[in-house]
Structure formats: C-alpha cells, structure tokens
Amino acid sequence: MILLSLTALEESFRRFAIHGDTRATGKDMHGKNWSKLCKDCGVIDGKTVTLTDVDIVFSKVKKKSCRTITYDEFKIALGELARKKYKEKTGEEAEAEVYKLIEGKTPVIAGVTRAVASPTVNRLTDTTKFTGSHKERFDNTGRGKGKAGRVDLVDTSGYVSGYKHQGSYEKKVTKPPMAKPM
C-alpha cells in the first residue's frame, strides 16, 4: 500500500512541477509551484501553516545553489510541514495525513478570464452590422482578413477592376491544337 501512495504522491508532484512552465521536465519543482501545491491541496491553513512557513521550509530543504527541489527533497519538506500542521500526531502519522491531502490532486486553474456574453458586447462585435471601411476588414463569415483588410492591395493582373471575363484571354490564346483530319 505504501508503494501505491508514493506513486500517487509522485504523480501530484510531477503535475505541479510542470504547471505553468513549458520547459519543465517534472523532475524538480520551483518555489512558486511548491507554494501553489501547498495552497491548492490545503496544506496551508492560515493558522498553523502559513505561506511564510511554506517558503521557509522550501529554502531550508533546497540545495544552496539551486532554485528547485527534487522529489526526495519534496518529501522531506512535506515531513517538516506535516510535523508543524499536526503537532498532536507522531511524525509518521502527520506525514501520512499530509500525503493524503496531496495525493491525486492537480493544479487548480482559478481566476481565468471569461468572455462576457452580454447583448451589448454581441451587438458591438457583430461584423455583419459594420459599415464603411470597417466592413472591408472582414470576410463573409466574420473572420478578419488581416493585412488585406487594412491595406489597399494593388491588383497587378492587368485587368480593369470589375471586368466580368477576367482570365478569359489566357484561355483563348492557349487553346489546345486541333487534330487535322487526314
């Protein structure tokens, strides 16, 4: 059973270690992600364990020249926080309680800005109601044309604008040769 709980704990460690960092491998964790793990999993309660305590434990556990902690250092740090959070329990029982808080958890993504869907915003962003030069910036589906919608592009085809049979001259000139009857 201990092996199963360690793998669940290690999986949570890896998920928090790579959170918000595209270059992270999941083998070591930054202080920012350590603080996030402690907040999201409920290790920080504001009374016995505070954000300051979490930062102090991180600084104590990490190597002097490093800015990250490994999984082994992570377990040592959890042990220190567990003894502080659960003073009435023995060291091993306290660690088991903290492990239970963290196992299987993933980073919480809170406070992400959502688009407002009010009638006013919908009316202002409806491209079918645009007039004048603004109308030229969008195609029939409402997608922006990019630079083509902002800049007057010069037509270098050789035809006058609005000519109905554009491209027909090349077809007349390059007719395939007719086979001659013998």
Side-chain angles (χ1 to χ4, degrees):
M1 182 177 158
I2 292 292
L3 184 63
L4 179 65
S5 66
L6 288 179
T7 56
L9 184 68
E10 194 167 9
E11 182 62 30
S12 291
F13 171 82
R14 289 176 52 81
R15 285 185 179 154
F16 277 94
I18 63 172
H19 178 72
D21 188 4
T22 55
R23 294 175 292 158
T25 60
K27 290 184 170 61
D28 48 9
M29 182 182 287
H30 286 280
K32 171 182 66 86
N33 290 359
W34 163 249
S35 298
K36 180 162 182 57
L37 179 139
C38 292
K39 279 183 210 162
D40 290 356
C41 296
V43 176
I44 296 175
D45 56 10
K47 292 184 177 98
T48 55
V49 178
T50 63
L51 187 60
T52 307
D53 295 328
V54 169
D55 290 337
I56 290 169
V57 168
F58 182 84
S59 296
K60 254 201 272 185
V61 170
K62 73 176 180 64
K63 294 183 184 86
K64 296 289 180 211
S65 62
C66 291
R67 301 173 80 185
T68 59
I69 58 173
T70 63
Y71 179 67
D72 294 329
E73 293 167 337
F74 167 76
K75 289 199 307 191
I76 294 167
L78 283 182
E80 288 195 27
L81 287 179
R83 283 187 285 286
K84 186 166 177 58
K85 186 172 176 79
Y86 300 105
K87 291 177 182 168
E88 70 281 352
K89 296 186 177 182
T90 64
E92 290 175 6
E93 289 175 352
E95 281 183 31
E97 288 292 320
V98 171
Y99 288 173
K100 283 181 194 171
L101 289 175
I102 295 171
E103 287 171 354
K105 296 279 177 58
T106 58
V108 176
I109 302 172
V112 178
T113 306
R114 289 188 171 82
V116 179
S118 69
T120 308
V121 172
N122 289 342
R123 182 175 51 83
L124 292 172
T125 57
D126 186 4
T127 58
T128 60
K129 296 193 175 26
F130 286 3
T131 59
S133 63
H134 302 292
K135 190 175 194 174
E136 302 299 321
R137 295 182 56 202
F138 300 92
D139 61 8
N140 298 340
T141 62
R143 291 186 53 107
K145 291 182 183 176
K147 189 172 182 176
R150 295 188 305 274
V151 178
D152 290 334
L153 298 177
V154 179
D155 183 16
T156 58
S157 66
Y159 290 97
V160 180
S161 64
Y163 182 61
K164 294 178 188 174
H165 304 294
Q166 185 172 353
S168 61
Y169 179 74
E170 285 82 11
K171 291 177 187 170
K172 287 181 184 177
V173 172
T174 57
K175 282 187 180 178
M178 300 281 268
K180 296 180 182 177
M182 290 199 176

